[in-house]
Amino acid sequence: MTSNCKAFRARILHFTDIPDPSAGQGFEYYDDGVLVIEQGLVKQLDSAKNMAAGGFDLSQCEHFPDHLLMPGFIDSHIHSPQTDVIVSYGEQLLDWLNKFTFPNELKFSCREFASQKAEEFIDILLENGTTSAMVFTSVFAQSTDAFFDVANKRNMRMMAGKVMMDRNAPEGLLDTPKQSETECRALIEKWHKVGRMRYALTPRFAPTSSPEQLAVAGQLYRDYPGLYLQTHLSENIQEVAWIKELFPSAKDYLDVYDHYGLLGTRSVFAHGIHLNDREVQRLADTGSGIAFCPTSNLFIGSGLLNMQRLEDAGIPISMATDVGGGTSFSLLRTLAEAYKILQVQQQTLHPLKGLYMATLGNARSLMLDGYIGNFETHKEADFVLLNLTPNRLQRARQAVANSLEDTLFALMMLGDEMNVDRTYIMGKLAYQRHNSEQGE
Ligand code: GUN
Ligand code: ZN
């Protein structure tokens, strides 16, 4: 092994496709596996036995015999300025925005504050095993610049954008179509495709953008190849009714975005709970994605996503926390709430499918699977080391787990950031839990 190489020996799980649990396909699991990394990229993955038989010296590995090593989690929709308003009491979407979210986002006009909060936000992502995310910053361009600065220094694969909003919010939080065009262009030219950074156009949602501003978003989307677009869609019943008043000539909510050219394979619409059949078909026809935000949908009381309906239509669905509407940064917690939302609709979420969605599935939905999502050779080595038994309850439950699937189901349903012992970005240790055991 050369000096640029590192090797990790642990239980290892990753996905190669949508898992088919009954056929045992779409995933690879090693009870005792070795992941070799060279210059931040995956070089090799195999069982310790095969590696040793091929002449590899296992004593070079950092050894975590009881840990589960997995690709880092990917969060397809989250708000960096909302860490401090997480679990704000008692309101549904529109009142929650006015009462808690907008006042807090005003603080991000200060660059220094925005920088500190970006550092803290990324520390919390890493503590939760999240290595990539698609992020709403705030309306203030300097807060977006600060976010990219921090994410770039940490070398994380991130998509983010300045929120565009020019109406129906407090005066101090509004931009104008012209201002958002100028500021977005400057941010795109400074950050898009720099290192692991990608720019995501971010009109907050149709109610807070004028038709002129949505037209600017459409123009920018056409002007710069490879940009992403993120916004909210059909989250809450009152919101949908408001769209009818604000855009009386649109066929429905999605049609507003469609009219301005905002649909496509790089477009991610958060929520999509209350969609009509035409909207579902149109999302599918354009390859546009839906970000499923279970803890948020329950916490702000928005509704239950019929995931099966969207999947059957062929819409790419990704998993997201939507903090601060969501109540946890943990993708494991998020999967547990997704499972319950599906249960009450007589649908289900197999643990292999859930963990696939949080890794390779989200990478695919976000068109990032050429870079991240699993341990294919040459992919970027972002990964987590999970402790399956961080507390008494999980120790008790895991002691009776009688299959890999049962072990993973207990992890998915009971797990959270307490299970994340270490997080690595391109092979480098980026987070370590204080009480985590040393490698042997
Ligand atoms: N719709 C418009 N803005 C927001 C937001 O910040 N959070 C959520 N959950 N929905 C929104
Ligand atoms: Zn959101």
Side-chain angles (χ1 to χ4, degrees):
M1 213 165 73
T2 68
S3 59
N4 287 327
C5 265
K6 287 182 194 170
F8 297 85
R9 182 176 175 189
R11 301 163 78 171
I12 301 181
L13 172 72
H14 79 147
F15 297 89
T16 53
D17 205 343
I18 301 177
D20 178 346
S22 54
Q25 286 172 355
F27 64 99
E28 290 179 330
Y29 173 72
Y30 301 91
D31 245 336
D32 184 6
V34 174
L35 177 69
V36 183
I37 290 156
E38 188 172 42
Q39 292 192 320
L41 305 179
V42 174
K43 185 167 186 228
Q44 201 177 358
L45 171 68
D46 208 339
S47 66
K49 200 169 154 204
N50 283 351
M51 294 290 286
F56 185 85
D57 175 5
L58 292 176
S59 72
Q60 300 174 86
C61 297
E62 276 200 75
H63 193 194
F64 301 90
D66 298 323
H67 282 74
L68 179 68
L69 191 159
M70 283 191 62
F73 299 128
I74 301 168
D75 189 339
S76 68
H77 178 89
I78 186 164
H79 299 255
S80 61
Q82 294 182 14
T83 306
D84 296 347
V85 295
I86 195 167
V87 299
S88 294
Y89 176 75
E91 303 293 351
Q92 299 221 340
L93 177 65
L94 301 175
D95 293 324
W96 176 83
L97 286 172
N98 285 316
K99 197 163 159 186
F100 305 115
T101 313
F102 290 157
N104 197 62
E105 291 190 15
L106 276 166
K107 299 179 194 163
F108 285 73
S109 62
C110 168
R111 162 109 202 186
E112 202 186 330
F113 179 80
S115 286
Q116 279 170 16
K117 284 286 159 187
E119 297 276 3
E120 177 189 64
F121 175 79
I122 286 181
D123 286 338
I124 303 175
L125 290 180
L126 292 168
E127 182 176 56
N128 281 271
T130 299
T131 48
S132 284
M134 186 143 169
V135 181
F136 273 59
T137 63
S138 80
V139 73
F140 305 106
Q142 65 268 31
S143 78
T144 317
D145 188 55
F147 179 85
F148 275 125
D149 216 19
V150 173
N152 189 44
K153 284 197 185 109
R154 308 280 192 109
N155 198 24
M156 290 169 76
R157 187 162 282 286
M158 285 285 187
M159 290 140 293
K162 173 200 120 65
V163 170
M164 303 165 81
M165 53 198 287
D166 65 353
R167 62 173 177 170
N168 293 320
E171 188 60 33
L173 269 189
L174 300 179
D175 60 6
T176 65
K178 184 73 210 142
Q179 185 188 351
S180 58
E181 175 172 5
T182 311
E183 291 179 348
C184 289
R185 280 194 196 281
L187 285 163
I188 292 164
E189 279 161 25
K190 181 165 179 191
W191 289 111
H192 185 51
K193 299 191 179 172
V194 169
R196 304 180 83 195
M197 306 300 107
R198 296 292 181 273
Y199 195 84
L201 293 165
T202 311
R204 180 173 212 118
F205 66 156
T208 49
S209 284
S210 63
E212 295 71 32
Q213 187 170 59
L214 292 171
V216 165
Q219 189 58 50
L220 292 168
Y221 208 18
R222 285 185 291 279
D223 282 354
Y224 296 92
L227 281 191
Y228 288 89
L229 181 128
Q230 57 178 347
T231 188
H232 297 89
L233 170 70
S234 211
E235 174 177 6
N236 164 287
I237 295 286
Q238 283 81 35
E239 172 203 13
V240 176
W242 195 19
I243 292 289
K244 283 207 182 80
E245 287 171 32
L246 292 171
F247 298 92
S249 61
K251 293 188 192 107
D252 44 43
Y253 197 159
L254 186 69
D255 192 46
V256 175
Y257 296 133
D258 204 356
H259 183 78
Y260 295 101
L262 305 184
L263 276 54
T265 53
R266 291 177 177 275
S267 301
V268 178
F269 296 93
H271 310 294
I273 300 171
H274 310 285
L275 298 172
N276 65 35
D277 289 345
R278 196 206 72 83
E279 291 173 298
V280 169
Q281 193 54 50
R282 186 69 188 142
L283 284 167
D285 289 347
T286 55
S288 306
I290 290 287
F292 180 13
C293 310
T295 72
S296 170
N297 296 163
L298 294 172
F299 180 72
I300 344 187
S302 305
L304 306 177
L305 184 79
N306 184 342
M307 186 166 101
Q308 191 69 53
R309 174 182 179 226
L310 304 187
E311 273 189 333
D312 288 349
I315 296 170
I317 300 174
S318 55
M319 278 291 167
T321 64
D322 192 29
V323 165
T327 55
S328 170
F329 278 75
S330 168
L331 261 303
L332 293 172
R333 274 273 173 97
T334 302
L335 293 174
E337 297 311 290
Y339 179 82
K340 296 171 199 169
I341 286 179
L342 298 178
Q343 275 287 80
V344 296
Q345 301 177 90
Q346 281 72 52
Q347 298 175 24
T348 195
L349 184 63
H350 190 282
L352 285 169
K353 168 92 176 285
L355 293 169
Y356 160 80
M357 290 184 81
T359 55
L360 182 63
N362 271 11
R364 284 178 167 180
S365 297
L366 300 177
M367 313 282 278
L368 293 175
D369 52 314
Y371 304 103
I372 54 173
N374 66 6
F375 298 134
E376 234 173 73
T377 310
H378 303 311
K379 282 204 187 172
E380 297 162 352
D382 294 344
F383 60 94
V384 286
L385 271 169
L386 300 174
N387 175 359
L388 297 172
T389 53
N391 55 26
R392 288 188 180 82
L393 174 62
Q394 291 191 61
R395 253 197 313 279
R397 178 62 180 82
Q398 291 293 4
V400 298
N402 53 16
S403 63
L404 173 65
E405 293 177 10
D406 197 25
T407 298
L408 297 177
F409 187 59
L411 171 69
M412 178 171 107
M413 297 309 295
L414 298 174
D416 59 20
E417 70 270 29
M418 295 305 292
N419 295 73
V420 178
D421 265 359
R422 292 175 175 219
T423 306
Y424 291 79
I425 299 293
M426 292 197 76
K428 284 205 180 119
L429 184 64
Y431 164 77
Q432 179 171 10
R433 180 161 289 286
H434 285 316
N435 59 2
S436 103
E437 295 154 33
Q438 285 301 306
E440 291 166 14

mmCIF file of all heavy atoms in Angstrom, residues 77 79 82 93 96-97 101-102 105 136 204-205 232 235 239 271 296 300 322 325, ligand 1:
data_model
loop_
_atom_site.group_PDB
_atom_site.id
_atom_site.type_symbol
_atom_site.label_atom_id
_atom_site.label_comp_id
_atom_site.label_asym_id
_atom_site.label_seq_id
_atom_site.Cartn_x
_atom_site.Cartn_y
_atom_site.Cartn_z
ATOM 1 N N HIS A 77 -32.911 17.904 0.950
ATOM 2 C CA HIS A 77 -33.612 19.182 1.149
ATOM 3 C C HIS A 77 -33.495 19.608 2.619
ATOM 4 O O HIS A 77 -34.019 18.960 3.513
ATOM 5 C CB HIS A 77 -35.082 19.045 0.765
ATOM 6 C CG HIS A 77 -35.879 20.302 0.984
ATOM 7 N ND1 HIS A 77 -36.007 21.289 0.032
ATOM 8 C CD2 HIS A 77 -36.567 20.748 2.056
ATOM 9 C CE1 HIS A 77 -36.744 22.280 0.509
ATOM 10 N NE2 HIS A 77 -37.097 21.972 1.746
ATOM 11 N N HIS A 79 -32.621 23.414 5.236
ATOM 12 C CA HIS A 79 -32.443 24.868 5.295
ATOM 13 C C HIS A 79 -31.353 25.207 6.311
ATOM 14 O O HIS A 79 -31.557 25.031 7.516
ATOM 15 C CB HIS A 79 -33.744 25.541 5.748
ATOM 16 C CG HIS A 79 -34.905 25.306 4.823
ATOM 17 N ND1 HIS A 79 -35.383 26.272 3.971
ATOM 18 C CD2 HIS A 79 -35.695 24.215 4.613
ATOM 19 C CE1 HIS A 79 -36.421 25.797 3.285
ATOM 20 N NE2 HIS A 79 -36.624 24.539 3.662
ATOM 21 N N GLN A 82 -32.131 27.507 9.493
ATOM 22 C CA GLN A 82 -33.260 27.120 10.365
ATOM 23 C C GLN A 82 -32.861 26.216 11.526
ATOM 24 O O GLN A 82 -33.728 25.702 12.234
ATOM 25 C CB GLN A 82 -34.365 26.467 9.520
ATOM 26 C CG GLN A 82 -35.006 27.452 8.550
ATOM 27 C CD GLN A 82 -36.137 26.852 7.731
ATOM 28 O OE1 GLN A 82 -36.639 25.775 8.032
ATOM 29 N NE2 GLN A 82 -36.551 27.540 6.681
ATOM 30 N N LEU A 93 -47.785 25.377 8.245
ATOM 31 C CA LEU A 93 -46.779 26.013 7.385
ATOM 32 C C LEU A 93 -46.776 27.545 7.345
ATOM 33 O O LEU A 93 -45.776 28.170 7.687
ATOM 34 C CB LEU A 93 -46.894 25.466 5.953
ATOM 35 C CG LEU A 93 -45.929 26.112 4.959
ATOM 36 C CD1 LEU A 93 -44.485 25.798 5.314
ATOM 37 C CD2 LEU A 93 -46.234 25.655 3.543
ATOM 38 N N TRP A 96 -46.202 29.180 10.633
ATOM 39 C CA TRP A 96 -44.857 28.775 11.104
ATOM 40 C C TRP A 96 -43.783 29.626 10.418
ATOM 41 O O TRP A 96 -42.832 30.087 11.044
ATOM 42 C CB TRP A 96 -44.679 27.279 10.822
ATOM 43 C CG TRP A 96 -43.335 26.717 11.143
ATOM 44 C CD1 TRP A 96 -42.884 26.291 12.355
ATOM 45 C CD2 TRP A 96 -42.251 26.509 10.211
ATOM 46 N NE1 TRP A 96 -41.589 25.823 12.242
ATOM 47 C CE2 TRP A 96 -41.183 25.948 10.942
ATOM 48 C CE3 TRP A 96 -42.087 26.739 8.845
ATOM 49 C CZ2 TRP A 96 -39.970 25.616 10.346
ATOM 50 C CZ3 TRP A 96 -40.875 26.416 8.255
ATOM 51 C CH2 TRP A 96 -39.834 25.858 9.000
ATOM 52 N N LEU A 97 -43.959 29.862 9.114
ATOM 53 C CA LEU A 97 -43.000 30.700 8.384
ATOM 54 C C LEU A 97 -42.984 32.120 8.956
ATOM 55 O O LEU A 97 -41.926 32.673 9.253
ATOM 56 C CB LEU A 97 -43.364 30.764 6.886
ATOM 57 C CG LEU A 97 -43.081 29.527 6.043
ATOM 58 C CD1 LEU A 97 -43.682 29.687 4.639
ATOM 59 C CD2 LEU A 97 -41.579 29.265 5.928
ATOM 60 N N THR A 101 -39.806 31.322 11.216
ATOM 61 C CA THR A 101 -38.752 31.160 10.215
ATOM 62 C C THR A 101 -38.257 32.494 9.675
ATOM 63 O O THR A 101 -37.054 32.765 9.684
ATOM 64 C CB THR A 101 -39.287 30.303 9.041
ATOM 65 O OG1 THR A 101 -39.931 29.182 9.600
ATOM 66 C CG2 THR A 101 -38.187 29.860 8.126
ATOM 67 N N PHE A 102 -39.200 33.326 9.229
ATOM 68 C CA PHE A 102 -38.781 34.587 8.620
ATOM 69 C C PHE A 102 -38.010 35.469 9.616
ATOM 70 O O PHE A 102 -36.936 35.984 9.270
ATOM 71 C CB PHE A 102 -39.975 35.334 8.014
ATOM 72 C CG PHE A 102 -40.552 34.661 6.771
ATOM 73 C CD1 PHE A 102 -41.860 34.891 6.377
ATOM 74 C CD2 PHE A 102 -39.776 33.813 5.997
ATOM 75 C CE1 PHE A 102 -42.390 34.291 5.231
ATOM 76 C CE2 PHE A 102 -40.291 33.199 4.851
ATOM 77 C CZ PHE A 102 -41.604 33.439 4.467
ATOM 78 N N GLU A 105 -34.501 34.156 9.847
ATOM 79 C CA GLU A 105 -33.674 34.295 8.639
ATOM 80 C C GLU A 105 -33.158 35.729 8.460
ATOM 81 O O GLU A 105 -32.132 35.944 7.816
ATOM 82 C CB GLU A 105 -34.439 33.790 7.402
ATOM 83 C CG GLU A 105 -34.613 32.266 7.472
ATOM 84 C CD GLU A 105 -35.134 31.585 6.205
ATOM 85 O OE1 GLU A 105 -35.125 32.205 5.124
ATOM 86 O OE2 GLU A 105 -35.533 30.422 6.303
ATOM 87 N N PHE A 136 -31.016 25.110 1.158
ATOM 88 C CA PHE A 136 -31.518 26.484 1.070
ATOM 89 C C PHE A 136 -30.679 27.318 2.036
ATOM 90 O O PHE A 136 -30.607 26.983 3.218
ATOM 91 C CB PHE A 136 -32.964 26.567 1.571
ATOM 92 C CG PHE A 136 -34.023 26.279 0.555
ATOM 93 C CD1 PHE A 136 -34.077 25.072 -0.102
ATOM 94 C CD2 PHE A 136 -35.015 27.225 0.292
ATOM 95 C CE1 PHE A 136 -35.080 24.804 -1.024
ATOM 96 C CE2 PHE A 136 -36.022 26.975 -0.625
ATOM 97 C CZ PHE A 136 -36.060 25.762 -1.290
ATOM 98 N N ARG A 204 -37.951 30.442 -3.269
ATOM 99 C CA ARG A 204 -38.406 29.769 -2.041
ATOM 100 C C ARG A 204 -39.630 28.891 -2.282
ATOM 101 O O ARG A 204 -39.610 27.708 -2.028
ATOM 102 C CB ARG A 204 -38.734 30.814 -0.987
ATOM 103 C CG ARG A 204 -39.195 30.159 0.288
ATOM 104 C CD ARG A 204 -39.383 31.075 1.454
ATOM 105 N NE ARG A 204 -39.056 30.309 2.616
ATOM 106 C CZ ARG A 204 -38.077 30.568 3.473
ATOM 107 N NH1 ARG A 204 -37.354 31.636 3.332
ATOM 108 N NH2 ARG A 204 -37.833 29.770 4.470
ATOM 109 N N PHE A 205 -40.713 29.517 -2.776
ATOM 110 C CA PHE A 205 -41.884 28.815 -3.303
ATOM 111 C C PHE A 205 -42.723 29.859 -4.035
ATOM 112 O O PHE A 205 -42.520 31.065 -3.845
ATOM 113 C CB PHE A 205 -42.651 28.003 -2.263
ATOM 114 C CG PHE A 205 -43.367 28.721 -1.138
ATOM 115 C CD1 PHE A 205 -44.447 28.098 -0.501
ATOM 116 C CD2 PHE A 205 -42.984 29.973 -0.680
ATOM 117 C CE1 PHE A 205 -45.121 28.702 0.553
ATOM 118 C CE2 PHE A 205 -43.652 30.589 0.385
ATOM 119 C CZ PHE A 205 -44.724 29.951 0.988
ATOM 120 N N HIS A 232 -40.262 24.551 -3.105
ATOM 121 C CA HIS A 232 -41.297 23.786 -2.403
ATOM 122 C C HIS A 232 -42.529 23.662 -3.300
ATOM 123 O O HIS A 232 -42.821 24.560 -4.086
ATOM 124 C CB HIS A 232 -41.693 24.484 -1.099
ATOM 125 C CG HIS A 232 -40.569 24.586 -0.109
ATOM 126 N ND1 HIS A 232 -39.708 25.651 -0.088
ATOM 127 C CD2 HIS A 232 -40.177 23.765 0.888
ATOM 128 C CE1 HIS A 232 -38.818 25.475 0.889
ATOM 129 N NE2 HIS A 232 -39.082 24.334 1.501
ATOM 130 N N GLU A 235 -47.237 21.518 -0.328
ATOM 131 C CA GLU A 235 -46.905 20.967 0.988
ATOM 132 C C GLU A 235 -48.130 20.965 1.896
ATOM 133 O O GLU A 235 -48.325 20.044 2.690
ATOM 134 C CB GLU A 235 -45.774 21.825 1.585
ATOM 135 C CG GLU A 235 -45.368 21.500 3.011
ATOM 136 C CD GLU A 235 -44.191 22.355 3.483
ATOM 137 O OE1 GLU A 235 -43.774 23.274 2.719
ATOM 138 O OE2 GLU A 235 -43.691 22.113 4.589
ATOM 139 N N GLU A 239 -51.702 26.510 1.496
ATOM 140 C CA GLU A 239 -50.714 26.980 0.509
ATOM 141 C C GLU A 239 -51.240 26.734 -0.913
ATOM 142 O O GLU A 239 -51.158 27.606 -1.785
ATOM 143 C CB GLU A 239 -49.398 26.224 0.747
ATOM 144 C CG GLU A 239 -48.317 26.437 -0.282
ATOM 145 C CD GLU A 239 -47.299 25.277 -0.299
ATOM 146 O OE1 GLU A 239 -47.564 24.216 0.297
ATOM 147 O OE2 GLU A 239 -46.247 25.446 -0.944
ATOM 148 N N HIS A 271 -41.686 18.089 -0.859
ATOM 149 C CA HIS A 271 -43.022 17.716 -0.359
ATOM 150 C C HIS A 271 -43.921 17.082 -1.423
ATOM 151 O O HIS A 271 -44.016 15.861 -1.471
ATOM 152 C CB HIS A 271 -43.711 18.887 0.353
ATOM 153 C CG HIS A 271 -42.822 19.515 1.381
ATOM 154 N ND1 HIS A 271 -42.419 18.838 2.506
ATOM 155 C CD2 HIS A 271 -42.196 20.724 1.431
ATOM 156 C CE1 HIS A 271 -41.605 19.612 3.222
ATOM 157 N NE2 HIS A 271 -41.447 20.757 2.590
ATOM 158 N N SER A 296 -40.775 16.565 8.836
ATOM 159 C CA SER A 296 -41.374 17.876 8.620
ATOM 160 C C SER A 296 -42.869 17.743 8.343
ATOM 161 O O SER A 296 -43.690 18.481 8.899
ATOM 162 C CB SER A 296 -40.667 18.560 7.448
ATOM 163 O OG SER A 296 -41.345 19.713 7.048
ATOM 164 N N ILE A 300 -45.113 19.778 10.995
ATOM 165 C CA ILE A 300 -45.922 20.965 10.661
ATOM 166 C C ILE A 300 -47.331 20.555 10.237
ATOM 167 O O ILE A 300 -48.123 21.404 9.816
ATOM 168 C CB ILE A 300 -45.296 21.889 9.576
ATOM 169 C CG1 ILE A 300 -43.825 21.647 9.310
ATOM 170 C CG2 ILE A 300 -45.439 23.348 9.981
ATOM 171 C CD1 ILE A 300 -43.217 22.703 8.346
ATOM 172 N N ASP A 322 -35.541 18.356 5.794
ATOM 173 C CA ASP A 322 -36.237 19.648 5.816
ATOM 174 C C ASP A 322 -36.143 20.345 7.166
ATOM 175 O O ASP A 322 -37.084 21.023 7.593
ATOM 176 C CB ASP A 322 -37.704 19.488 5.386
ATOM 177 C CG ASP A 322 -38.387 20.832 5.118
ATOM 178 O OD1 ASP A 322 -37.688 21.778 4.735
ATOM 179 O OD2 ASP A 322 -39.617 20.926 5.320
ATOM 180 N N GLY A 325 -38.319 22.758 9.478
ATOM 181 C CA GLY A 325 -39.652 22.174 9.571
ATOM 182 C C GLY A 325 -39.515 20.750 10.075
ATOM 183 O O GLY A 325 -40.305 20.265 10.890
HETATM 184 N N1 GUN B 1 -42.304 26.621 2.098
HETATM 185 C C1 GUN B 1 -41.722 27.815 1.874
HETATM 186 N N2 GUN B 1 -40.677 28.023 2.687
HETATM 187 C C2 GUN B 1 -40.574 26.918 3.451
HETATM 188 C C3 GUN B 1 -39.683 26.515 4.484
HETATM 189 O O1 GUN B 1 -38.765 27.230 4.877
HETATM 190 N N3 GUN B 1 -39.911 25.297 5.037
HETATM 191 C C4 GUN B 1 -40.914 24.479 4.621
HETATM 192 N N4 GUN B 1 -41.075 23.302 5.192
HETATM 193 N N5 GUN B 1 -41.765 24.837 3.659
HETATM 194 C C5 GUN B 1 -41.610 26.043 3.081
#
